Amino acid sequence: MGRAGAMSGAGLGAAGLGAAVRDYNADLQEGLAELRARRRELSGRIREEQAERDRLQARIVALTKRLLRTSESLAQLLAERAQLDGVIAETEAACGQILEALPADLKRGAGGAGKAGEPQHTSKGPRAGEEQHG
C-alpha cells in the first residue's frame, strides 16, 4: 500500500501513522536538500555573472574615456588641417596675384622656374653667353 493509502487507512495504529509521517518528513527533507543545492549552484552562477557584468562595466568606462580622448584629439587635428588648408589657399591666391602682376616677359621665365630639369628659355637658339657645339 502507498503512503497516501497508509495515511487514509482507518485501521492504522499510532505506530503505522508515525512511520508514514517519518517517511513524508524524510522525503520533504530530501527535496529541501535538492532545492538548497540548486540554490547554491544558482548563487554561484549569479556571482559569476555579476563579476562579468562588473568587468564589462569597467571596460565600458575605460573605453568611453578613450573614445572621448580620441574624439577630442581628432577634432583638434581636423581644426589644424582646416587651418592649413586656409593658409595654403591664401598662399596660392597670393602667388597667382603676384604672377598676374608681373610683366609678360617675366611671366614666361617665372612659369618654368619651379620645374627642375627644364630649360629656362623657350627660344630655339643658344642663350646669351653659351656656345653652340656642333
Side-chain angles (χ1 to χ4, degrees), residues 83-107:
Q83 185 178 9
L84 284 175
D85 287 345
V87 169
I88 289 169
E90 288 176 14
T91 304
E92 287 174 341
C95 286
Q97 289 174 352
I98 290 170
L99 286 177
E100 286 184 18
L102 291 176
D105 58 338
L106 289 178
K107 284 184 188 179

Side-chain angles (χ1 to χ4, degrees), residues 56-126:
L56 291 171
Q57 187 65 40
R59 274 188 76 194
I60 288 171
V61 168
L63 288 172
T64 300
K65 288 178 181 178
R66 186 174 164 191
L67 177 62
L68 179 62
R69 285 191 308 269
T70 302
S71 295
E72 289 171 351
S73 174
L74 179 60
Q76 189 175 28
L77 292 171
L78 288 169
E80 287 179 35
R81 184 177 70 180
Q83 185 178 9
L84 284 175
D85 287 345
V87 169
I88 289 169
E90 288 176 14
T91 304
E92 287 174 341
C95 286
Q97 289 174 352
I98 290 170
L99 286 177
E100 286 184 18
L102 291 176
D105 58 338
L106 289 178
K107 284 184 188 179
R108 281 192 299 258
K115 298 180 182 174
E118 291 185 7
Q120 297 297 315
H121 59 72
T122 57
S123 64
K124 304 264 185 206

Side-chain angles (χ1 to χ4, degrees), residues 1-12:
M1 181 184 297
R3 288 188 185 138
M7 290 295 284
S8 63
L12 286 180

Side-chain angles (χ1 to χ4, degrees), residues 39-52:
R39 186 180 189 283
R40 280 190 303 274
E41 178 187 335
L42 284 174
S43 292
R45 288 173 54 190
I46 288 169
R47 280 190 299 275
E48 290 172 3
E49 290 293 322
Q50 286 173 332
E52 176 67 8

